[in-house]
Amino acid sequence: GENVEQHPSTLSVQEGDSAVIKCTYSDSASNYFPWYKQELGKGPQLIIDIRSNVGEKKDQRIAVTLNKTAKHFSLHITETQPEDSAVYFCAASKPYYGGSQGNLIFGKGTKLSVKP
Amino acid sequence: DTAVSQTPKYLVTQMGNDKSIKCEQNLGHDTMYWYKQDSKKFLKIMFSYNNKELIINETVPNRFSPKSPDKAHLNLHINSLELGDSAVYFCASSQGEPMNTEAFFGQGTRLTVV
């Protein structure tokens, strides 16, 4: 089955710096790669996602890159702010229709701390 | 209005008891999920229902039984609670291809078994 590895487990940056979180996946059939942000005491919330037919996607200060050949994808946050402090999860899933019965597999999370 | 709401938010109970967690979504989604988040923050799916039909049933003790009375509700019943069941349980929903689109999570239910 799919296995998603996420690094680093903790990341501390100064406000204004960039933060990069990296994930690798094992199943080449995976085609959907979302990133979720979880603030303390809340449920995860999608911040950006990318599909396998796209190499990069950007939304203001957040970008995600995908390298299908190497089976890795990364989250980039520029100009970090204290409110970016949270736990970030990457995930990977295969198509559900067509018999593969896709399952959304999460990485183990990265705790990002942005120091003012 | 909360999109995905779970009740209760906190649940403290003794070993051996039976308890239920309720979930409702008002987004009109056709797929709902239960996830378990352990003390190390690891998120793992337990069950998924699509149009009231069970489509994902991961390796979970049969003490856990989901019930979906309609597309907007997915409840989780747990029998004979054990210490290891202590965790945060999240309900989520999505629209379109299951597992392959954005999932909207509830705020979680922190279950503590003593």
Side-chain angles (χ1 to χ4, degrees), chain B residues 7-106:
Chain B
T7 53
K9 188 169 183 180
Y10 300 97
L11 184 53
V12 181
T13 187
Q14 290 187 325
M15 282 175 54
N17 283 352
D18 302 339
K19 290 292 178 185
S20 291
I21 306 171
K22 295 186 175 182
C23 179
E24 176 182 3
Q25 55 96 3
N26 63 5
L27 298 168
H29 290 169
D30 54 14
T31 304
M32 295 187 72
Y33 313 83
W34 277 110
Y35 283 87
K36 180 180 180 180
Q37 187 170 49
D38 62 22
S39 58
K40 295 184 178 179
K41 296 286 189 182
F42 185 48
L43 265 170
K44 190 161 191 264
I45 192 165
M46 301 172 69
F47 304 103
S48 177
Y49 273 75
N50 177 252
N51 288 315
K52 299 198 305 175
E53 180 185 342
L54 181 66
I55 59 171
I56 298 283
N57 185 0
E58 290 296 295
T59 307
V60 175
N62 57 15
R63 298 181 295 103
F64 289 78
S65 54
K67 282 188 173 55
S68 182
D70 55 57
K71 282 181 11 175
H73 296 83
L74 180 61
N75 304 322
L76 184 64
H77 189 75
I78 315 169
N79 289 328
S80 304
L81 277 155
E82 300 178 357
L83 293 176
D85 297 333
S86 296
V88 180
Y89 293 84
F90 287 100
C91 176
S93 71
S94 68
Q95 180 63 24
E97 187 174 17
M99 303 291 179
N100 224 252
T101 59
E102 178 179 4
F104 291 78
F105 284 79

Side-chain angles (χ1 to χ4, degrees), chain A:
Chain A
E2 176 67 279
N3 183 45
V4 178
E5 298 282 342
Q6 182 172 347
H7 298 281
S9 56
T10 60
L11 180 59
S12 182
V13 300
Q14 286 295 132
E15 183 177 0
D17 287 350
S18 295
V20 180
I21 302 170
K22 298 182 178 182
C23 289
T24 60
Y25 61 99
S26 60
D27 194 332
S28 56
S30 290
N31 71 334
Y32 177 61
F33 307 92
W35 285 89
Y36 285 85
K37 175 183 180 182
Q38 185 177 21
E39 297 177 340
L40 198 61
K42 295 185 178 180
Q45 185 173 13
L46 183 80
I47 54 171
I48 196 167
D49 56 9
I50 192 168
R51 295 197 179 270
S52 57
N53 58 348
V54 175
E56 184 174 359
K57 186 176 178 180
K58 191 174 181 181
D59 183 3
Q60 298 182 4
R61 297 185 297 109
I62 294 172
V64 57
T65 58
L66 171 66
N67 183 326
K68 284 190 297 182
T69 304
K71 298 202 199 71
H72 65 71
F73 55 114
S74 301
L75 178 71
H76 304 254
I77 306 174
T78 58
E79 300 171 24
T80 53
Q81 301 165 2
E83 50 266 38
D84 293 329
S85 297
V87 178
Y88 290 80
F89 293 94
C90 65
S93 77
K94 296 187 291 187
Y96 177 77
Y97 298 126
S100 66
Q101 196 174 13
N103 192 347
L104 188 65
I105 304 297
F106 283 87
K108 293 191 174 181
T110 296
K111 185 175 181 181
L112 174 65
S113 300
V114 180
K115 298 181 179 179

